[in-house]
Amino acid sequence: MSEDDVVQYLSQKPDFFSRHTDLLESLTLPHPVNGKVISLLEYQVNLLRKTTADYRSQFERLVDVARDNESTMQKSRRLVLAGLTCSSLDDLAVVIDDMVRDDFEVSHHALILYGEFPDSAIRTHQLVEDDAFLSHAAGFSDCFCGVLPANEMNYLFADGASSIESVAVLPLLSRAGGEIKRCGVLVLGAESKSAFDKEKGALFLQYVADLLSAILLRLLP
């Protein structure tokens, strides 16, 4: 009789060991950690403990994901509702100030629109080829996390640039007709390298950038 035959027989007779308890007590197996010989019952207990720990860990991860998703939903809801109340570019600036303070909890941000908007207090910038001030920040069509060149940091954040360790660049774009038109940029600055780590990804930031772009396009003259 081969091992496969034994396995097949036992799988078809799940009550075999309950009818032969003396055999069950005499079986020994190596401990899964230290290799020492233990009884089958102790081996099963150890396996159950490990399985329980694995399930608990998976459950805790699912709970964390659910909490993150709920937080993301609440932030998105607040932004959408606030955006619906905006009737001017300056209203949008206030919404962004609140969002940066309450949702992102970062100490620095710079909102810049491209072009001239004399009726708004929002900072503006004229884009030119080989821009000496915003060539990197203005060049992104998707969100970027990491660091920017020193000259752009100084232009964006002035005296506060030296304390910023990482940034998130949220391009404000129009994609009408499949053509990308750059309307502005929101740059978030944090005093921690890990706050906007490029390895973390930027899915939520991209979602926020798309929402802000939609609100902005509605308000542009």
Side-chain angles (χ1 to χ4, degrees):
M1 179 180 289
S2 67
E3 289 186 2
D4 289 340
D5 292 333
V6 175
V7 170
Q8 183 176 358
Y9 176 80
L10 291 177
S11 64
Q12 294 173 349
K13 304 288 185 179
D15 61 339
F16 176 83
F17 287 112
S18 65
R19 292 185 285 104
H20 300 277
T21 57
D22 54 337
L23 178 61
L24 180 63
E25 293 173 355
S26 66
L27 291 175
T28 58
L29 293 165
H31 194 284
V33 176
N34 56 33
K36 294 181 179 180
V37 174
I38 60 174
S39 69
L40 178 61
L41 181 59
E42 185 178 353
Y43 186 84
Q44 290 175 317
V45 170
N46 284 328
L47 287 180
L48 286 173
R49 286 174 177 168
K50 182 179 183 302
T51 301
T52 300
D54 290 342
Y55 280 135
R56 182 182 295 113
S57 177
Q58 293 176 18
F59 177 75
E60 290 173 352
R61 285 196 296 271
L62 288 174
V63 170
D64 288 340
V65 170
R67 286 172 177 164
D68 289 342
N69 288 341
E70 182 180 7
S71 175
T72 297
M73 183 187 70
Q74 293 298 334
K75 292 175 182 178
S76 303
R77 179 177 179 273
R78 286 196 297 269
L79 178 56
V80 170
L81 292 177
L84 291 174
T85 67
C86 291
S87 59
S88 69
L89 293 174
D90 289 338
D91 287 345
L92 175 59
V94 173
V95 167
I96 290 176
D97 285 343
D98 292 342
M99 178 191 71
V100 170
R101 181 186 65 250
D102 298 334
D103 292 335
F104 288 99
E105 298 180 345
V106 294
S107 51
H108 306 274
H109 77 280
L111 173 63
I112 296 178
L113 298 182
Y114 305 140
E116 295 183 0
F117 302 93
D119 296 330
S120 172
I122 296 178
R123 185 177 173 187
T124 61
H125 178 80
Q126 293 291 341
L127 288 179
V128 296
E129 190 174 351
D130 298 325
D131 199 310
F133 300 104
L134 287 180
S135 59
H136 286 79
F140 296 113
S141 57
D142 295 307
C143 282
F144 165 81
C145 292
V147 294
L148 292 172
N151 65 308
E152 296 197 23
M153 293 294 292
N154 291 328
Y155 180 72
L156 288 165
F157 300 108
D159 295 339
S162 60
S163 64
I164 298 175
E165 296 291 338
S166 64
V167 300
V169 180
L170 284 67
L172 306 178
L173 310 172
S174 167
R175 301 179 187 268
E179 181 180 351
I180 294 179
K181 178 184 177 183
R182 306 181 191 282
C183 303
V185 66
L186 171 64
V187 184
L188 310 178
E191 297 178 2
S192 167
K193 290 182 179 180
S194 62
F196 298 118
D197 191 324
K198 62 182 179 180
E199 302 299 330
K200 287 184 176 180
L203 183 61
F204 177 60
L205 290 171
Q206 185 62 54
Y207 178 55
V208 171
D210 292 341
L211 286 177
L212 291 176
S213 295
I215 297 171
L216 174 62
L217 292 176
R218 182 174 64 83
L219 299 173
L220 287 176

